[in-house]
Amino acid sequence: MSGGLAIDALSVVFGRFRALDDLSLAVDAGEVRAVIGPNGAGKTTLLDVISGITRPKSGRVMLGDLDLTQCAEAEIAKAGVRRKFQKPSVFPMLSVRENLEIGCGADLPAAARPARVTALLGDVGLSARADVTAGRLSHGEKQWLEIGMVLASEPRVILLDEPVAGLSDAETARTAALIQALRRPDRAILVIEHDMAFVEAVADRVTVLHDGRTLYEGGMAGARADARVIEVFLGR
Ligand SMILES: Nc1ncnc2c1ncn2[C@@H]1O[C@H](COP(=O)(O)OP(=O)(O)O)[C@@H](O)[C@H]1O
Ligand SMILES: [Mg+2]
C-alpha cells in the first residue's frame, strides 16, 4: 500500500441522508481503480471528501501518514492529490501552452517550465495545438488539456470524474490510452466513469458503489457476472 490511498470507514451525511456509509477502499500506488455505480451512489461525494471539499461525519482518508480529512483543500493539493472535475475547467482565453504553465504551479522554477510544458503537450497529444486559445478546442481536446493540467504538477494521486462523458468513441479510445500512460509505480489513479468499455480498458479493478457502500470489488469480468451488480447497475 506504500504511496497509495487508503479510505477507511468513511461516512458522509447530508441532513438525514447517508451519501457514504462506512466505506472502505484502498487504491494502491501503481493502480488504476475505477469506481462505477448508479447515479446517486456517492461517487462524486467520495472524490469531494478525498479532495477536502466535503467533510465526512466519520472515517479517514490516509495518504501515507497523512489523514486528508484533517487537511485543508490547499494542503491536500500540496500533498500531491489532483482532481479533474467532470466539466472541463480550462482557462478559455489563454492558450493551451499557458494553461499547462498554470498547471505546473508555483513550486516549479520558471526555468524548468518550458521543458515540462513541451513534454506535457506531447503526453496529451496537443503539441500541434499549443498556441490555440483553449476556448477554441473541441470538447475532447479540452478534456485532454485538463488532464495535462492535472499531470503538470506530477501528482501522486489523480482523481478523474467521468473523463469520457460526451466524447465520441474515437475520443474515448484516445482518452483510455492517455490514462493508461499516466500509470506510474508511485501514483494511484481513481477514475469514476459510466462507460463500461472504457472502464474495462483502463482499470485494474473496479469498485461498484451502491447507496454509499461497496457492492462489489474486483475485476470487470467478475462485476459483469455478479448478480447484485447486474441488478442495481449493469442490467438497466
Ligand atoms: N451537498 C449535498 N447536499 C445534499 N445532498 C447531496 C449533496 N451532495 C450530494 N448529495 C446527495 O448524495 C447522493 C450522492 O451524490 P453523488 O456523490 O453526487 O452521486 P454520484 O456521483 O454517484 O452520482 C445523491 O443522492 C445526492 O443528491
Ligand atoms: Mg457524480
Side-chain angles (χ1 to χ4, degrees), residues 82-90 96 99-100 103-104 120-121 123-126 137 139-155 157-165 167 171-183 187 189-191 193 198 202:
R82 285 298 147 90
R83 172 171 182 182
K84 190 203 154 318
F85 287 86
Q86 190 171 339
K87 192 169 171 290
S89 50
V90 300
V96 168
N99 271 275
L100 291 172
C104 289
L120 286 165
L121 285 166
D123 289 343
V124 298
L126 292 175
L137 297 177
H139 179 62
E141 289 172 325
K142 281 180 190 151
Q143 297 280 359
W144 301 325
L145 172 56
E146 201 182 354
I147 291 172
M149 292 171 73
V150 161
L151 206 53
S153 61
E154 303 190 328
V157 176
I158 298 180
L159 310 171
L160 302 163
D161 201 349
E162 302 197 22
V164 300
L167 298 192
E171 289 170 330
T172 296
R174 194 170 147 184
T175 307
L178 170 54
I179 289 169
Q180 281 292 358
L182 305 186
R183 192 193 285 277
R187 173 178 288 159
I189 302 177
L190 199 163
V191 52
E193 192 42 69
F198 172 82
V202 300

Side-chain angles (χ1 to χ4, degrees), residues 36 208 215-216 222-235:
I36 65 177
V208 182
L215 190 66
Y216 170 89
R224 286 191 192 282
D226 187 288
R228 293 162 311 160
V229 175
I230 292 166
E231 190 190 329
V232 307
F233 185 53
L234 295 176

Side-chain angles (χ1 to χ4, degrees), residues 127-143:
S127 300
R129 307 285 274 160
D131 298 310
V132 173
T133 303
R136 300 181 66 91
L137 297 177
S138 71
H139 179 62
E141 289 172 325
K142 281 180 190 151
Q143 297 280 359

Side-chain angles (χ1 to χ4, degrees), residues 14 17 19 37-46:
F14 297 117
F17 178 74
N39 280 330
K43 303 180 300 294
T44 298
T45 300
L46 173 62

Side-chain angles (χ1 to χ4, degrees), residues 1-7 25-33 62-64 80 155-158 182-190 204-205:
M1 175 157 336
S2 62
L5 195 62
I7 293 147
L25 166 67
V27 187
D28 295 340
E31 177 178 13
V32 179
R33 171 71 59 94
M62 301 303 295
L63 178 61
R156 290 168 67 186
V157 176
I158 298 180
L182 305 186
R183 192 193 285 277
R184 276 189 1 196
D186 57 352
R187 173 178 288 159
I189 302 177
L190 199 163
D204 303 297
R205 288 185 287 176

